[in-house]
Amino acid sequence: MLNLERLRTLDALARHGSVSGAAEGLHVTTSAVSQQLAKLEREVGEPLLAKNGRGVRLTEAGRLLAGHAARILSQAERAQSDIEAQRGRVVGDLALAAFPTAARGLVPSALAELRDRHPQLRVKMREVEPDAAVRGVVRGDYDLAVVLDWYNKPLSMPAGLAKRELLEDPADVAMPAGHALAGQDEVDLAEFADDDWVTWAEGEFCHEWLLLTLRGVGVEPRLAHVAEEHATQLALVEAGLGVCVAPRLGRGPVPDGVRVVPVRHAMRRHVYVVWRADADRRPSIRAAVEALAAAGTRVAS
């Protein structure tokens, strides 16, 4: 009889391509991954891994079993969903990922509602950027994730996921109080062609969106500073070191030396929750989705 946890380890290795990647995805040590795979090899009586430079690769038998493992694990998730649906009780553990401003401005009230309504449900939240969060849901690292995309840049969504929109989040331009445009009711992005920009880290979804959007209005952005947190970006703006995009979700108090002005052609983020379609019938998933949707309605109202 094949051990389900060892099959899960093999599946993680197949998806991540390395022992270290599998360990990170499963939140265990590399030694634990190696031990589980060694036991699985003994169970099947075939070598599943072969050395490949400094790493490993799957043998033909390993690839064959990894394909079966993915289907077995998917079926096991469906079985868990069916059992939970039959019980109809919202209990157990739930892993939730959320991008930072949602983790601050949306998720806390949803978690408080879940705690009050379903005290036997244990939800653990982690801040994760949208691309990584989607990959984590597909891998099974998270049960569901709050993610975003922009009105002009959709987030790539793999097959096998379900989603529900939670709210639309407008974004403004933040500038120093002494900026020439600070007193305007609305601005155009093209008016900031000569400004320095404070942005997110290179490679992040919102950073790539900013480049796309500014270039789309004929502005080659002058990227002066990089900061992950919106509060840090606004502090740099207050110091007169540039301008930045300031979404309204989770924004918090704006520093005295900063003015935020809407964009004439509105910039909006779409915020939604995603989960594996195989787990759709789990009462805990449904309860979490409903709580997040209610929180989204409260934020948007």
Side-chain angles (χ1 to χ4, degrees), residues 119-142:
Q120 291 182 292
L121 178 66
R122 298 176 296 275
V123 184
K124 292 185 178 180
M125 195 236 18
R126 183 175 181 178
E127 282 191 7
V128 185
E129 290 298 324
D131 281 322
V134 169
R135 293 195 298 271
V137 172
V138 171
R139 290 195 305 262
D141 301 342
Y142 312 113

Side-chain angles (χ1 to χ4, degrees), residues 23-90:
E24 183 178 355
L26 294 170
H27 306 293
V28 298
T29 64
T30 55
S31 175
V33 169
S34 297
Q35 290 174 17
Q36 289 283 63
L37 292 173
K39 290 178 180 178
L40 186 58
E41 285 185 324
R42 290 196 293 271
E43 285 179 350
V44 300
E46 290 277 351
L48 302 175
L49 304 177
K51 289 186 177 180
N52 184 30
R54 294 185 177 181
V56 296
R57 60 174 177 81
L58 291 174
T59 63
E60 184 176 348
R63 289 194 298 272
L64 177 66
L65 186 56
H68 284 292
R71 292 188 291 273
I72 291 168
L73 293 169
S74 177
Q75 191 62 40
E77 177 130 43
R78 290 193 188 97
Q80 181 183 358
S81 296
D82 287 345
I83 292 297
E84 289 191 19
Q86 185 183 49
R87 284 201 311 251
R89 298 172 59 212
V90 181

